[in-house]
Amino acid sequence: VDDGVHGRELWRTDGTAAGSSLVRDINVGADGSDPWLLPDHQRNAVRFGDHIYFTADNGQQGRELWKTDGTTDGTSQVEDINPGSTGSYPEGLTVVGSKLFFSASTADDYNTELWISDGSNTGTKMVKEINPDDSAYPQQLTEMNGTLFFSANDGQLGFELWRSDGTAEGTIMVKDTNPIDDNNHRLGWFTIFDNRLFFTVTRDAADGSLYNELWVSDGTSEGSRLFKDLNAYNLVVMDGALYFRASGGLWRSDGTESGTTLVKELSASLLTVAGGRLFFIGPPSVLWISDGSAAGTVPLREFPLGFADCDHELFSVGDDIFACFLDETYGLELWMSDGTKSGTRLVRDIEPGFDHSLPDPQIQFRDRLYFAATYRGDRELWVTDGTESGTRLAVDFNKSADED
């Protein structure tokens, strides 16, 4: 949060003004340390032990790994991984037992490799230099059965499936998924289902487009194979089944090839599970819901103007989903759905009329959604319980937007 005095810094709140306070001015002055705290797709923040680990820039050592217990004295830099002002830019923070894994860049040609930490300065170190000549770029860090699985490039075989137990000798490639073309593929959508790792391998199709094969692994080379030849994306798990978007529409799998079937023929995106139901967006900009059957896959509401400048995301809170949509009457505002047509509605018109509050869902806390929104020209923290009356300015950090 930027309060207009300290820059963007680390704060804590219980949702009230009295319970909100600056934790620490990491980069002293008005510039701010810009802490990356939200568990986004890069996983730049995670709970590990009694602390929250995140990245921040103190203005002297660049973006590095930090931790906090919510107090000023308990907020500190873990290690200056890349000495100097550039920073190591840790990403993919992933807890596996008593270990915290992440990727980081060092001063040695800014190579990005796999790192590990126990939370101490001396216990933070590179696991293995997977690519001695360049960067391994570890991605998709995922825990399965006490082992870290990830994608990395060793400089010879391209991006492949790897695993690590936190030691150099225990960090090995699991499978060469593309022995014919070593460099022209990527791995993505790591998802744990049925005690196995499902993922996609992206290749160039004959027509020049990208094609995602669906693979599965039990963690061994022999148990890693092409699962089904489908152009698969957006893997999610719901009620003992794997759902994904693939050739022809929305698909469902029970973990067997014969039990992998088409649910409905339509282009589905942003698959999100809430309350044992699957929400997604279908063309052109229609919110859908599915119980996993063709008959139970139905549209809820069309948003003709779509997402526009909103983040393309459906955010689940309990049994409901929230999203930012562009409406011809209300502009860019926060909407929600409880899975029914009547319950798919505007939460609140924060900037009345066609002005835009540009809501950005941030995090769920105590059955409430906290989100950033623009109100009377200021970007502030808001909270909602899903009702209009329960949607309010959580804390006026800038002290300049007086709410009616």
Side-chain angles (χ1 to χ4, degrees), residues 14-47:
D14 62 3
T16 67
S20 302
S21 60
L22 177 69
V23 176
R24 177 173 172 178
D25 190 6
I26 294 173
N27 186 357
V28 179
D31 289 340
S33 66
D34 191 22
W36 291 352
L37 279 160
L38 299 178
D40 61 9
H41 66 285
Q42 293 179 321
R43 282 193 300 247
N44 287 311
V46 68
R47 185 180 184 90

Side-chain angles (χ1 to χ4, degrees), residues 280-332:
F280 62 92
I281 300 295
S285 292
V286 179
L287 180 64
W288 286 70
I289 190 171
S290 177
D291 61 4
S293 68
T297 303
V298 296
L300 293 174
R301 192 184 194 280
E302 180 178 1
F303 295 87
L305 301 182
F307 287 94
D309 292 330
C310 295
D311 285 343
H312 289 200
E313 179 183 13
L314 302 181
F315 199 99
S316 63
V317 178
D319 294 340
D320 306 323
I321 61 103
F322 291 80
C324 170
F325 287 108
L326 177 60
D327 180 81
E328 59 271 19
T329 301
Y330 303 108
L332 288 161

Side-chain angles (χ1 to χ4, degrees), residues 305-376:
L305 301 182
F307 287 94
D309 292 330
C310 295
D311 285 343
H312 289 200
E313 179 183 13
L314 302 181
F315 199 99
S316 63
V317 178
D319 294 340
D320 306 323
I321 61 103
F322 291 80
C324 170
F325 287 108
L326 177 60
D327 180 81
E328 59 271 19
T329 301
Y330 303 108
L332 288 161
E333 295 290 352
L334 186 67
W335 289 69
M336 70 156 290
S337 178
D338 63 3
T340 66
K341 291 185 177 181
S342 61
T344 302
R345 55 179 175 76
L346 176 73
V347 175
R348 176 173 170 176
D349 190 9
I350 293 174
E351 288 282 24
F354 197 70
D355 288 337
H356 311 312
S357 72
L358 296 170
D360 181 13
Q362 302 281 303
I363 197 167
Q364 177 185 352
F365 178 61
R366 293 178 181 170
D367 298 324
R368 301 289 190 270
L369 173 66
Y370 286 78
F371 62 100
T374 300
Y375 178 69
R376 295 183 179 177

Side-chain angles (χ1 to χ4, degrees), residues 49-244:
D50 295 329
H51 291 75
I52 299 294
Y53 286 72
F54 63 101
T55 70
D57 183 346
N58 65 6
Q60 299 176 2
Q61 295 162 312
R63 184 163 297 280
E64 292 290 355
L65 183 66
W66 284 68
K67 65 180 180 181
T68 183
D69 62 2
T71 68
T72 301
D73 292 340
T75 302
S76 62
Q77 183 175 282
V78 177
E79 169 69 333
D80 186 10
I81 294 171
N82 189 6
S85 61
T86 302
S88 65
Y89 283 81
E91 291 185 357
L93 276 61
T94 304
V95 176
V96 180
S98 60
K99 310 177 188 73
L100 175 64
F101 288 90
F102 56 96
S103 68
S105 301
T106 63
D108 183 13
D109 297 325
Y110 303 105
N111 284 357
T112 304
E113 294 288 352
L114 183 67
W115 282 67
I116 193 172
S117 179
D118 62 3
S120 68
N121 177 282
T122 56
T124 302
K125 58 187 178 181
M126 184 188 298
V127 177
K128 181 176 183 176
E129 192 172 18
I130 295 172
N131 189 341
D133 299 322
D134 202 344
S135 290
Y137 296 115
Q139 300 170 7
Q140 299 286 325
L141 278 64
T142 303
E143 186 273 339
M144 183 175 74
N145 297 330
T147 299
L148 179 76
F149 290 83
F150 60 102
S151 167
N153 184 349
D154 68 355
Q156 298 180 12
L157 300 176
F159 283 92
E160 294 297 352
L161 179 63
W162 286 68
R163 73 183 186 207
S164 177
D165 62 2
T167 66
E169 56 274 14
T171 301
I172 59 175
M173 189 180 73
V174 177
K175 184 78 173 180
D176 183 0
T177 61
N178 193 2
I180 297 175
D181 186 353
D182 289 335
N183 292 305
N184 201 23
H185 61 286
R186 293 288 188 275
L187 276 61
W189 294 109
F190 281 31
T191 304
I192 306 301
F193 171 63
D194 192 29
N195 206 34
R196 293 175 292 169
L197 174 66
F198 285 78
F199 60 99
T200 61
V201 178
T202 303
R203 312 186 191 281
D204 288 333
D207 61 1
S209 62
L210 297 178
Y211 186 87
N212 281 359
E213 294 176 346
L214 183 60
W215 280 64
V216 65
S217 176
D218 62 2
T220 67
S221 179
E222 298 77 13
S224 302
R225 61 178 178 83
L226 176 66
F227 179 72
K228 200 167 183 68
D229 192 10
L230 293 167
N231 191 13
Y233 298 83
N234 205 169
L235 281 60
V236 298
V237 176
M238 181 182 78
D239 290 344
L242 179 71
Y243 291 84
F244 54 93

